[in-house]
Amino acid sequence: MVESGASPLPPTPPAHSPLLRAEHFVWLTARVLEQRLFAHHFLHGAADPVETALDAYRNEDGGYGHALEPDLRGPVSQPLHTARALHVLDSLGRCGGQRVERVCRYLTSVSTADGALTAVHPSQRGYPAAPFIPIVDDPPSELLATGPVVGLLHRNEVWHAWLFRATDFCWQAVDALETSRPYEIQAAVAFLDSASDRPRAEAAADRLGRLVREQRLAVLDPDRRDAYPVAPGYAPGEHHFPYDYAKTPGSLARAWFTDSEMAGALDFLAAEQQQDGGWPIRWRRWAPGTELESRPAVSIEALSTLRSYGRVIG
């Protein structure tokens, strides 16, 4: 018998262990990629199998497609798929080398005149996509797509000509944020957390933190979620919490929230684990398959966040 390194799958998720319940959920529902990711992050699994699973989504142009990001279907490369691939490689400590050089060439080929990325390239047309992700012939530059990618590449000390223009775009977009949506703030934080100009990043983060609190863009009392607004176009109940902005204690966004506010949010996150062992998605559900594919990744992120803050999850 070949040993997989995984614990035996119980017939039902044990009530006493969040991690075992999550493991049951992953083996029951997840794609191979998320199964390998879970095994790597929580069961001492190797990194190579994760890379092998990720390669199935890679295209000849250096980008990634094939519904790696479940809300965009079809085979074509897209910036959002490619950002997800980089996130996986970063989590493995393997965001570098020729693979990332090819990714940067792809990003250069689909970037706008100012060096930014669009959320969806027009090549998506003709393939299924979430109705809240518009497909247009001349899509705008978006911090939402560009910020996390640029921040991640800077954190891994990747150098590429495209990054200079993309970094300038991110600074301009962050400085221009006034009334924003939570996902844009998250993208800004992903950029600022790894920007090389630390004094400028800290000043920008401080301003955004005041904006988040003034506009009530983070639920600070989980027992009174209805008292916090949901951004126009978002799904009912699509709230954001302190841990959505400060994904780790080292994030600049951690200073936006008191210890009590963060503890309450983390208590809420831990309690959000469902009976089946997984965590729910909060954005709009538009197809049964996409929700099924999204929940394992959301669950791995929830466990990772709880662990980064020292919460016992075993």
Side-chain angles (χ1 to χ4, degrees), residues 16-312:
H16 64 280
S17 171
L19 187 59
L20 280 177
R21 290 166 59 203
E23 182 183 349
H24 184 282
F25 172 75
V26 167
W27 296 137
L28 185 65
T29 67
R31 304 180 296 189
V32 172
L33 175 60
E34 281 74 33
Q35 290 179 22
R36 295 298 199 181
L37 269 174
F38 184 91
H40 174 67
H41 289 306
F42 300 103
L43 303 175
H44 309 292
D48 285 349
V50 184
E51 282 202 72
T52 299
L54 183 63
D55 278 344
Y57 298 89
R58 184 161 53 88
N59 286 321
E60 298 257 342
D61 60 8
Y64 289 76
H66 306 279
L68 178 54
E69 184 63 46
D71 282 332
L72 293 176
R73 317 303 293 181
V76 294
S77 296
Q78 288 292 328
L80 290 182
H81 296 315
T82 306
R84 172 64 181 159
L86 288 172
H87 178 73
V88 170
L89 292 170
D90 177 54
S91 76
L92 303 178
R94 296 187 174 185
C95 192
Q98 291 186 352
R99 174 186 284 102
V100 174
E101 175 68 24
R102 290 194 296 269
V103 167
C104 287
R105 287 201 297 268
Y106 163 74
L107 295 174
T108 302
S109 73
V110 297
S111 65
T112 60
D114 52 7
L117 299 175
T118 63
V120 183
H121 189 269
S123 60
Q124 182 66 32
R125 194 180 302 282
Y127 297 103
F132 48 80
I133 304 178
I135 302 170
V136 297
D137 291 332
D138 188 20
S141 302
E142 294 197 31
L143 179 64
L144 179 66
T146 315
V149 169
V150 172
L152 187 151
L153 292 176
H154 280 313
R155 182 165 67 252
N156 286 276
E157 299 183 347
V158 173
W159 295 103
H160 190 274
W162 169 74
L163 270 175
F164 292 99
R165 291 189 301 139
T167 300
D168 287 343
F169 166 81
C170 288
W171 279 122
Q172 293 168 13
V174 168
D175 290 343
L177 280 179
E178 290 295 341
T179 302
S180 186
R181 297 188 173 194
Y183 291 116
E184 289 178 305
I185 298 291
Q186 286 180 244
V189 171
F191 166 69
L192 294 172
D193 275 347
S194 299
S196 58
D197 188 339
R198 299 315 297 159
R200 184 177 180 183
E202 291 166 5
D206 183 65
R207 185 182 72 84
L208 292 182
R210 293 195 300 272
L211 183 152
V212 165
R213 297 190 73 93
E214 290 166 1
Q215 298 188 12
R216 298 170 63 81
L217 299 180
V219 173
L220 302 181
D221 183 353
D223 292 330
R224 299 180 60 249
R225 296 191 296 280
D226 290 345
Y228 293 84
V230 173
Y234 285 26
E238 193 174 354
H239 292 105
H240 287 71
F241 297 81
Y243 55 76
D244 289 313
Y245 303 103
K247 295 182 182 296
T248 68
S251 172
L252 290 173
R254 176 61 185 86
W256 301 353
F257 310 106
T258 67
D259 290 347
S260 176
E261 290 166 346
M262 183 60 70
L266 293 170
D267 288 343
F268 174 79
L269 178 62
E272 277 282 273
Q273 188 175 23
Q274 305 294 286
Q275 186 65 35
D276 62 8
W279 271 258
I281 64 171
R282 294 200 299 270
W283 61 89
R284 195 175 302 279
R285 297 159 176 82
W286 65 281
T290 59
E291 179 178 4
L292 183 66
E293 291 181 355
S294 296
R295 287 189 64 208
V298 168
S299 300
I300 291 170
E301 183 173 355
L303 289 168
S304 298
T305 297
L306 290 168
R307 183 168 63 181
S308 76
Y309 278 95
R311 296 298 182 105
V312 177

